[in-house]
Amino acid sequence: MSSVELQHISKRFPTVAALSDVSFTVRDHEFFVLLGPTGAGKTTTLRIIAALLKQDEGSVLFDGEAVDGLTPADRDVAFVFQQYSLYPTMTVYDNLAFPLRSPMRKTPEPEIKERVQHAAEILRITHLLDRKTARLSGGEMQRVSIGRAIVRQPRIFLMDEPLSNLDAKLRESLRVELQHMQKTQGNTTLFVTHDQIEALTMADRIAVLDHGRIIQIGAPADIYDRPATTFVATLVGTPRINLFTAARENGTYFVANSDLHLPMPGDRAMPQQVQVGLRPEDVKITPGGRFTGVVALTEPLGVETILHIRSGQQTLLSILPGITPLRRDDPVRFDILHERLHFFDVDGKRV
Amino acid sequence: MFVRAGVRTPTHNNCDNRAACGVMTEVRTDPTIAERVAASTPEPLARRVRGLSDRAIAWAFIGPTVGLLLAINIFPLLWTVYLSFTNYRANRPNEEILWIGTRNYERVLTDPDIWAAMQATAHFVVWTIVLQTVLGFGLAWLIDRKFRGSAFWTTIILIPMMLSSAVVGNFWKFLYQPQIGLFNYVVSFFTGIDPSSFDMIGSVTLAPWAIVIVDTWMWTPYVMLICLAGLRSIPDYIYEAAEVDRASPWRQFWSITLPMALPFIMLAVLFRGIENFKMFDLVVQLTGGGPGSITELTSINLKREAFEKWRTGYSSALAVILFVAVFGLANIYVKALNRVKQR
């Protein structure tokens, strides 16, 4: 396993700039997640690391050594594609054995057999080994595709949204399996996803990418608790963060079109106009709350209920544990945890 | 009642009450075929259609086709089988037709001319298929590189296929002329052989190759087109996966490109095989079966027996033998093709 470093990578396609000045390091044995919406340049980044695509500027380093001149085969990476990318005319066994049968690797057949068996056991696909890949379900195909990556010991695992074509249940269980596998074997993994839950649950560190630029890099807790921009704040967390514009008056921020008002933090210089971010779990429904509102909608999810509260002309989300007896149009009182407020300037940058 | 509701067009059906209309449409969900046909047919014709059952409508649609098929395909086939057991001669219609059992078949199968024709056909079919498949797949593989102007070259390559085979036979006759022909000139240019020292059409050893060359020139583009479709059907990400898995270009070709394009190649071989087994016009134009009968393929031989020598019963027997052979071979081949496709 290796560490992988990207230095000032830029890539332009004929019509768009896919990546501009992207730099980050995936440390050895780290589970690193690249999170961003569709078209952010996540896949482009992966393909550049695998040498399936050539960057216009910048350089890729494996263990501190530039690998820009090397082909995909020489870089020795494993790639799990979103479309599974299995060889359709071969059996599952042959698919798994394919990378080991490369003349560049020269693995004896008994060892191939052993390693394929081992990978199949980890992914619980032993019973599928004799099948043709065309007859597998999506989940089985993706397991085989992950298996093809783990039969060998590459320098880094590159995974391009491997779970996004699967149904919710399967995605959840494969997510746990992947995480378990990565932790027990210590594989360096770069995982691309647009799903913030995958990012938060699996990552050691997350890099948030938007329009080809890195917005923030940090541990999941950093990203969630100290989002660098409103973009990151809204991208991460369900239900979505409450975001209001507010104006300052005598040391207090008044939220437009409602009677919500928040104290100004005293420890830093604050602008006149701000955007205030407020996580739903930081809006506490209590009988003695300082603010009043009306229930606009409830979304009972079983383990918790998402409450849409109308206050003035603003609607904010809150979370209650379990199922609530509150109904539409019921009046509620709530408090806001001041120490958990996020302030952003009008351009969306954290202050 | 249902039928009438179906026939009613919106113009006749000025329904003020929307809810009532909604109920009506609900009532006539799932109309039968006859109803739907009636609804979309002009009024006078619709009145006649309305009384029919779905089965009758279905027969009305496929009846003409089935009738034509029976009249010009199935009946002649059965009639040929019958004639093959008789001594019938089409140029002597008044003579009594005698049932002579399998004697025609015995004659056909012991006739050395027939076996010579079969051999000529086999030589022609095998070599055209081999050459066209190799060249066609090779061209497709090159065109698939998507270089600059590949679309232009694809069009150029397809031109021979668009010509009439009679025209092709005719002008290749001129190209093969020992004195003025371009073919002989080109061969002499590259090899230094005297251009008038050989005659592609006139020589017993060269004539079978002359027809193979022309057919290959004409139909390689067709094989290329089918192979190109096969190559284009292989997604890029499979090659990318192979590249990451450290497969050399050679290994990618043998373990991905060829197996995935194989059903298409086999289809091209099937089409060319069937076409060339019954090859007639091109060869008749080019060599007329000569010199002697060295390029007389079975279809040419069959035509001579049937419409020059008027041995109708005999040629019917030959036709039946050929039909059974081609039909059987094609069936076995299609089974193999399906097995390849199912992998």
Side-chain angles (χ1 to χ4, degrees):
Chain A
M1 289 294 147
S2 301
S3 68
V4 170
E5 186 180 355
L6 267 62
Q7 288 180 337
H8 311 292
I9 297 284
S10 291
K11 173 77 191 171
R12 271 173 298 277
F13 289 127
T15 51
V16 284
L19 293 176
S20 16
D21 196 19
V22 168
S23 303
F24 61 82
T25 305
V26 183
R27 296 175 196 138
D28 204 1
H29 307 304
E30 186 176 37
F31 200 118
F32 193 92
V33 171
L34 212 48
L35 174 67
T38 310
K42 306 174 302 257
T43 301
T44 308
T45 312
L46 272 201
R47 292 164 59 86
I48 285 173
I49 295 174
L52 292 173
L53 207 61
K54 184 119 189 65
Q55 71 270 26
D56 297 333
E57 283 158 38
S59 99
V60 180
L61 285 76
F62 281 26
D63 286 331
E65 274 175 55
V67 291
D68 298 313
L70 299 185
T71 61
D74 292 331
R75 289 198 190 180
D76 194 11
V77 298
F79 206 121
V80 178
F81 292 83
Q82 188 180 357
Q83 316 90 334
Y84 317 136
S85 222
L86 302 177
Y87 309 120
T89 54
M90 301 179 200
T91 61
V92 170
Y93 182 91
D94 288 332
N95 262 279
L96 293 176
F98 191 85
L100 299 173
R101 286 182 179 150
S102 160
M104 289 171 72
R105 247 178 279 267
K106 287 248 189 301
T107 318
E109 207 58 40
E111 195 194 328
I112 290 180
K113 192 163 182 199
E114 195 180 305
R115 280 163 74 169
V116 169
Q117 277 293 344
H118 182 64
E121 271 161 34
I122 292 176
L123 292 161
R124 287 183 271 134
I125 49 173
T126 320
H127 60 293
L128 300 175
L129 286 175
D130 297 330
R131 292 236 208 122
K132 291 282 186 191
T133 53
R135 296 182 193 197
L136 303 180
S137 69
E140 290 167 340
M141 282 198 198
Q142 196 55 286
R143 274 163 208 264
V144 176
S145 149
I146 293 167
R148 203 173 54 188
I150 64 169
V151 285
R152 56 201 185 87
Q153 281 99 40
R155 303 178 77 173
I156 184 169
F157 285 102
L158 304 171
M159 304 200 176
D160 186 5
E161 309 215 15
L163 307 180
S164 64
N165 286 357
L166 306 176
D167 62 66
K169 274 266 181 300
L170 210 55
R171 200 180 312 162
E172 231 163 83
S173 71
L174 258 183
R175 199 169 74 205
V176 174
E177 275 174 50
L178 267 181
Q179 210 179 346
H180 177 73
M181 217 167 64
Q182 196 271 335
K183 288 287 169 284
T184 50
Q185 313 200 338
N187 304 324
T188 309
T189 304
L190 178 52
F191 187 100
V192 156
T193 183
H194 65 266
D195 182 347
Q196 50 102 15
I197 295 180
E198 281 175 19
L200 290 177
T201 51
M202 294 197 284
D204 293 323
R205 285 194 305 147
I206 297 173
V208 179
L209 201 62
D210 185 37
H211 289 106
R213 287 174 194 282
I214 297 277
I215 310 290
Q216 187 176 6
I217 300 178
D222 283 342
I223 302 279
Y224 189 78
D225 287 335
R226 295 187 51 79
T229 65
T230 49
F231 172 78
V232 178
T234 46
L235 185 69
V236 174
T238 42
R240 206 170 46 78
I241 193 169
N242 298 297
L243 211 54
F244 305 114
T245 55
R248 191 173 65 186
E249 208 173 295
N250 294 331
T252 306
Y253 281 112
F254 290 93
V255 173
N257 301 324
S258 86
D259 59 355
L260 290 177
H261 52 90
L262 310 156
M264 193 182 96
D267 54 343
R268 54 211 133 132
M270 298 295 291
Q272 181 67 30
Q273 288 274 341
V274 288
Q275 299 186 65
V276 183
L278 187 54
R279 294 271 178 212
E281 64 269 27
D282 300 333
V283 179
K284 297 284 185 200
I285 308 287
T286 52
R290 290 174 55 212
F291 305 106
T292 56
V294 173
V295 176
L297 190 72
T298 60
E299 297 180 66
L301 300 176
V303 73
E304 60 190 21
T305 299
I306 302 169
L307 213 57
H308 297 238
I309 303 166
R310 181 158 307 129
S311 168
Q313 282 171 30
Q314 300 282 13
T315 304
L316 69 168
L317 305 183
S318 172
I319 295 183
L320 284 175
I323 309 268
T324 166
L326 286 170
R327 290 284 165 270
R328 218 178 115 99
D329 294 334
D330 286 351
V332 282
R333 299 192 73 88
F334 57 93
D335 266 333
I336 289 167
L337 299 185
H338 292 160
E339 64 278 13
R340 307 262 303 165
L341 287 174
H342 306 274
F343 290 98
F344 305 96
D345 63 17
V346 282
D347 298 327
K349 265 199 147 66
R350 187 179 188 86
V351 287
Chain B
M1 175 251 164
F2 274 55
V3 175
R4 206 179 291 162
V7 173
R8 225 178 264 171
T9 54
T11 43
H12 301 136
N13 197 357
N14 289 328
C15 187
D16 294 321
N17 188 338
R18 286 268 159 144
C21 287
V23 170
M24 266 197 82
T25 43
E26 244 170 72
V27 167
R28 57 181 156 101
T29 48
D30 220 14
T32 63
I33 296 170
E35 277 179 73
R36 271 185 275 157
V37 169
S40 55
T41 314
E43 197 57 32
L45 193 61
R47 222 171 292 132
R48 265 181 285 163
V49 174
R50 236 174 283 158
L52 296 176
S53 68
D54 276 7
R55 189 161 277 272
I57 289 278
W59 276 111
F61 278 134
I62 64 166
T65 313
V66 169
L68 273 175
L69 215 61
L70 283 174
I72 67 178
N73 252 335
I74 308 297
F75 169 72
L77 181 70
L78 296 176
W79 193 243
T80 305
V81 173
Y82 161 69
L83 288 180
S84 71
F85 292 105
T86 67
N87 69 344
Y88 178 69
R89 294 176 79 94
N91 62 341
R92 291 183 207 156
N94 297 326
E95 229 168 67
E96 193 188 358
I97 302 173
L98 288 178
W99 182 270
I100 56 169
T102 58
R103 207 178 315 153
N104 279 329
Y105 288 90
E106 284 161 30
R107 272 193 219 143
V108 168
L109 293 174
T110 52
D111 188 340
D113 285 353
I114 296 291
W115 288 106
M118 292 273 198
Q119 226 169 351
T121 306
H123 177 273
F124 177 70
V125 170
V126 168
W127 279 107
T128 51
I129 285 180
V130 167
L131 289 174
Q132 288 171 25
T133 307
V134 170
L135 291 175
F137 186 80
L139 279 175
W141 194 75
L142 290 175
I143 288 285
D144 194 39
R145 307 286 100 187
K146 293 186 191 112
F147 51 89
R148 259 176 83 95
S150 62
F152 171 76
W153 285 109
T154 311
T155 315
I156 294 288
I157 290 170
L158 292 187
I159 287 176
M161 195 178 98
M162 300 174 194
L163 302 173
S164 147
S165 44
V167 172
V168 170
N170 226 337
F171 77 64
W172 269 90
K173 212 149 122 184
F174 291 106
L175 293 177
Y176 277 147
Q177 278 278 338
Q179 274 82 33
I180 57 157
L182 198 60
F183 184 85
N184 286 35
Y185 173 77
V186 168
V187 170
S188 89
F189 183 85
F190 283 110
T191 59
I193 301 168
D194 179 15
S196 55
S197 68
F198 65 101
D199 181 356
M200 290 300 289
I201 292 174
S203 148
V204 175
T205 49
L206 292 179
W209 295 103
I211 57 175
V212 168
I213 289 170
V214 176
D215 190 78
T216 301
W217 175 84
M218 187 170 175
W219 290 108
T220 296
Y222 178 77
V223 177
M224 181 200 81
L225 215 53
I226 296 178
C227 289
L228 191 60
L231 292 177
R232 293 265 159 93
S233 76
I234 306 173
D236 285 342
Y237 54 73
I238 293 204
Y239 289 112
E240 289 181 345
E243 218 170 306
V244 170
D245 285 341
R246 296 181 153 189
S248 58
W250 183 248
R251 186 153 178 253
Q252 286 180 28
F253 179 82
W254 284 106
S255 57
I256 297 169
T257 311
L258 206 57
M260 288 187 77
L262 191 60
F264 290 83
I265 298 171
M266 286 182 75
L267 209 60
V269 167
L270 178 69
F271 290 156
R272 290 312 302 146
I274 291 174
E275 279 289 304
N276 277 358
F277 203 87
K278 58 185 194 188
M279 167 52 67
F280 184 79
D281 42 6
L282 184 75
V283 173
V284 166
Q285 273 302 317
L286 199 64
T287 67
S293 62
I294 207 76
T295 60
E296 191 172 294
L297 308 178
T298 41
S299 57
I300 300 173
N301 184 293
L302 182 62
K303 184 250 175 188
R304 293 219 164 119
E305 293 292 343
F307 303 107
E308 283 170 27
K309 300 181 187 166
W310 296 103
R311 298 166 71 185
T312 311
Y314 175 86
S315 56
S316 293
L318 176 54
V320 169
I321 289 171
L322 289 181
F323 171 74
V324 170
V326 174
F327 193 73
L329 284 176
N331 259 321
I332 294 168
Y333 190 86
V334 167
K335 282 221 174 74
L337 178 65
N338 282 335
R339 203 167 309 139
V340 168
K341 268 200 295 195
Q342 271 166 15
R343 287 189 320 186

